[in-house]
Amino acid sequence: VRTMLTLLESESLPVSEVAMSMLARCCQKPDHQAVVASNLPQILHFLGHTSPKTQEAALDLLNSLTTDNPTTCIALLESEAGAAVDMIVSRAKGRNERSRLLSCAVLANLAQAAP
C-alpha cells in the first residue's frame, strides 16, 4: 500500500490515476483504509483536477475509503470546512455517468456516518 501511495506523487497523471484505482481495490481492511486516508488532501486535490478520468479515479478511491468507515467519513466531512463535500456534490451533477454514480455512493457513505 505504501508503495502505491508514493505513486500518487508521480508527475505523470496516468500513473497517479492507476495508483488511485489500485488503491481503491486493495484498501478493504480498516488498517489499509487508515493509511490511505492519511492522504486525503492529496486525493481531494485529484478530485478537483480538470481531467474527468482523474476525478473518476479519485471518486473511486474515496468511495472505497468511506465504505463502512465512519472515521474516514467524518474526516472527509470536516476537511477544508466542507469544501470536499461541495466538490463531490458538483461531480454528482456532472455529465460523466460513472462520476455521478461514484459521487452518489460517496455521499451515501457520508450520510450514513454523519452524526
Side-chain angles (χ1 to χ4, degrees), residues 22-90:
M22 290 171 58
L23 286 165
R25 302 295 166 264
C26 74
C27 59
Q28 305 300 321
K29 296 180 180 180
D31 55 333
H32 290 159
Q33 289 175 329
V35 171
V36 176
S38 67
N39 289 337
L40 269 179
Q42 190 172 19
I43 297 165
L44 294 176
H45 169 76
F46 286 120
L47 183 60
H49 198 275
T50 57
S51 165
K53 288 178 75 174
T54 304
Q55 294 171 4
E56 188 177 307
L59 286 166
D60 190 21
L61 182 52
L62 286 173
N63 182 45
S64 182
L65 290 176
T66 57
T67 300
D68 297 324
N69 190 333
T71 304
T72 301
C73 288
I74 299 300
L76 191 57
L77 287 168
E78 294 175 348
S79 69
E80 302 176 30
V85 175
D86 291 340
M87 278 196 295
I88 296 166
V89 169
S90 73

